[in-house]
Amino acid sequence: MLAHEIVKNIQSGQVSPQEVVSASLQRIAQLEPRLHALIRLNPQAEQEAALVEQRLARGEPLPLAGVPVVLKDNICTQGLTTTCGSRMLADFVPPYSATVVEKLRQAGAVVVAKANMDEFAMGSSTEYSAFGPTRNPWDTERVPGGTSGGSAAAVAAGMVPLALGTDTGGSVRQPAALCGVYGFKPTYGRISRYGVVATASSLDQVGTMARTMQDLALLSDVVSGYDPMDSTSLEVQPQFASALQASSRGLTIGLVKEALAVGNSAGVLEALERFRSVMEAQGVRFVEVSLPSLEYALAAYYIVNTAEISSNLARYDGTLYGLRVPGADSTTTMMQSREHGFGPEVQRRILMGTFVLSSGYYEAYYGKALRARARIKADFDRAFSEADLLLTPTSPFPAFRLGEKTTDPLSMYLADIDTVAVNLAGLPAMSIPAGFEGHLPVGVQLIGKALHDEQIFVVANAFEQATDRAFARGAI
């Protein structure tokens, strides 16, 4: 069942939270050997479901009563190992839970598992996990996307109806597109990052995943909102569910010329045209807009990203927590711990980030990247003077084969070409399932103005209601 169906049936007494969680765990046991979408189950899930039933009996309002959820394994859960897909944190048990986890549990959701991910959220395919790659439910010889590929695969396969991921440069939206689910990245600051292990702090944002817009809005309302524990948190009241009642008629969507020019597969172009045709019939107007600085977005992103990674991951030095490989002295211990604890992609990005921040190269690389970031933001502002929302592909191609890009890091980085600019500008965006290329799903991306996140939900819901909603049934 979908999340809103579960809530309705539990509240009416047709099914119990324990039965729902048990069914979810059974489906996980059936599919997990084929997909490897998860790193570990929550051994307390069924007990937590029983507590939800007790709370319902007391009359507590629980908008996610008994709904099974998986969390990307960089979201801290008190008492449950949080690894970030890395050997460095293979035995790390957080003493507290992230704010989003507390909000889920307050709403009656049950965390059933932690999802597989690219190590420390670095990658575009969920092949860089220290615990092995995740497979796409639509084709198990292909990747689910990354870095939140485990979350996307779990939702697409019907293991759970809802999942949380994190999006640093498209890591919720890109796997959502490749797995045929909705993936929403909000305006920077609308969902708390407290308790989320940092990758690149000025880019990271928790994102939501679901198979229908009603479920996505339900989840987004629960986890959004101001958090005094996060200094970047914004005091904006979430209104995602109510946005589904609004009409898209009269809105203007800008087709980003640079994102549509070259490099997109036939299925992606067909999905974009289908989206345009359907929404024009709903009274939405389309215009062409230009983002001239978009060509610099990928280069600027990977400089800013790696610089912040170099800084954030300096804390993993084999002394306070995480993997410790003893050496003859403190320096040797630190070097050996980082060498054995970090995988090749993490080491590569640390080295890149340390280089661009080093004396003599800071201004040549990092300083220029910051100026490019400001120009990208200004280009978005100009585009939004002509349109309410912007439309691009989410990914220029559907899911690629396992191992196809792991030997060519640059090719892997190019998989994020349509998504990174949104994070640089701090804007909201959503990947919407919009068609297939052969048997593989493809998605389109709607980008909104800062703090106008709900407007994306209006248009995405109108598209869903006007189409066959084939994706709601899931992949397997």
Side-chain angles (χ1 to χ4, degrees):
M1 289 186 288
L2 299 168
H4 65 275
E5 295 170 340
I6 290 171
V7 173
K8 180 180 178 180
N9 287 326
I10 285 178
Q11 291 178 340
S12 66
Q14 295 183 45
V15 67
S16 71
Q18 297 98 312
E19 289 172 318
V20 171
V21 170
S22 177
S24 175
L25 293 172
Q26 288 175 27
R27 186 157 179 82
I28 288 170
Q30 174 192 0
L31 299 178
E32 180 60 9
R34 296 163 57 188
L35 300 181
H36 190 41
L38 309 174
I39 291 180
R40 77 187 37 76
L41 298 178
N42 176 11
Q44 304 299 317
E46 291 179 296
Q47 292 93 315
E48 290 179 18
L51 293 175
V52 170
E53 187 162 35
Q54 295 173 20
R55 294 170 65 191
L56 282 169
R58 293 196 297 267
E60 291 186 38
L62 303 176
L64 289 178
V67 177
V69 180
V70 302
L71 308 174
K72 188 175 181 179
D73 204 27
N74 61 348
I75 299 174
C76 287
T77 41
Q78 184 177 12
L80 185 61
T81 307
T82 299
T83 70
C84 292
S86 177
R87 290 186 297 272
M88 182 63 80
L89 293 177
D91 299 316
F92 173 59
V93 180
Y96 65 97
S97 289
T99 294
V100 290
V101 178
E102 297 290 353
K103 287 188 172 187
L104 285 171
R105 287 177 168 153
Q106 288 168 11
V110 178
V111 175
V112 296
K114 303 297 288 292
N116 199 15
M117 58 180 286
D118 283 307
E119 185 180 5
F120 280 101
M122 300 178 204
S124 302
S125 63
T126 313
E127 293 175 281
Y128 290 125
S129 169
F131 305 103
T134 295
R135 296 174 180 269
N136 193 310
W138 295 89
D139 183 342
T140 55
E141 296 304 310
R142 295 178 183 270
V143 304
T147 60
S148 305
S151 296
V155 173
M159 293 178 174
V160 290
L162 304 175
L164 293 185
T166 60
D167 192 309
T168 305
S171 296
V172 163
R173 290 161 288 149
Q174 189 246 24
L178 271 52
C179 289
V181 300
Y182 290 93
F184 171 58
K185 177 250 178 231
T187 298
Y188 185 81
R190 287 205 63 177
I191 297 179
S192 172
R193 292 184 297 113
Y194 176 74
V196 178
V197 179
T199 300
S201 302
S202 76
L203 303 167
D204 295 342
Q205 186 63 77
V206 174
T208 52
M209 293 179 171
R211 294 199 306 275
T212 69
M213 283 304 301
Q214 188 172 349
D215 280 6
L216 192 73
L218 184 63
L219 176 60
S220 300
D221 271 337
V222 165
V223 298
S224 301
Y226 176 69
D227 178 17
M229 301 296 288
D230 178 358
S231 63
T232 63
S233 182
L234 301 175
E235 295 192 51
V236 181
Q237 186 69 25
Q239 297 179 339
F240 296 105
S242 60
L244 303 186
Q245 308 305 316
S247 172
S248 62
R249 188 168 296 276
L251 292 175
T252 300
I253 295 178
L255 296 163
V256 179
K257 178 176 66 175
E258 291 78 7
L260 305 178
V262 293
N264 297 303
S265 70
V268 170
L269 294 175
E270 288 173 10
L272 288 163
E273 185 53 40
R274 180 183 186 225
F275 185 88
R276 176 176 181 169
S277 175
V278 168
M279 294 314 300
E280 282 181 332
Q282 301 297 309
V284 174
R285 187 172 71 96
F286 285 80
V287 298
E288 185 180 271
V289 299
S290 178
L291 296 173
S293 59
L294 201 61
E295 63 177 305
Y296 307 118
L298 202 65
Y301 170 81
Y302 275 101
I303 291 173
V304 173
N305 173 271
T306 57
E308 295 188 16
I309 285 168
S310 174
S311 176
N312 277 328
L313 269 63
R315 71 193 72 179
Y316 304 106
D317 56 6
T319 56
L320 295 177
Y321 63 97
L323 179 70
R324 179 184 178 89
V325 180
D329 51 41
S330 60
T331 299
T332 306
T333 296
M334 180 181 70
M335 292 173 64
Q336 291 184 167
S337 298
R338 291 169 71 82
E339 179 183 353
H340 289 87
F342 292 139
E345 180 61 22
V346 175
Q347 293 185 30
R348 179 163 37 241
R349 295 201 192 192
I350 290 173
L351 289 170
M352 289 168 60
T354 304
F355 175 76
V356 301
L357 291 175
S358 61
S359 176
Y361 296 99
Y362 180 96
E363 183 57 34
Y365 294 102
Y366 187 65
K368 284 183 179 179
L370 294 182
R371 289 194 291 274
R373 184 178 192 173
R375 183 174 294 184
I376 290 165
K377 178 66 169 61
D379 280 354
F380 271 116
D381 291 342
R382 280 190 289 272
F384 282 125
S385 68
E386 305 174 43
D388 300 300
L389 298 153
L390 304 180
L391 179 67
T392 75
T394 308
S395 169
F397 37 72
F400 45 91
R401 293 191 176 277
L402 287 158
E404 183 178 327
K405 298 182 184 294
T406 51
T407 58
D408 184 358
L410 182 58
S411 175
M412 185 75 80
Y413 296 163
L414 288 170
D416 298 329
I417 194 167
D418 292 312
T419 54
V420 296
V422 169
N423 297 74
L424 288 169
L427 300 175
M430 181 190 297
S431 180
I432 301 167
F436 290 88
E437 183 165 328
H439 64 289
L440 299 172
V442 295
V444 299
Q445 177 177 232
L446 271 181
I447 305 169
K449 301 174 185 176
L451 302 180
H452 287 67
D453 306 44
E454 284 83 354
Q455 201 166 57
I456 300 174
F457 279 67
V458 173
V459 175
N461 185 60
F463 178 74
E464 179 183 82
Q465 296 302 316
T467 52
D468 60 11
R469 302 178 67 190
F471 293 97
R473 295 190 294 272
I476 293 178

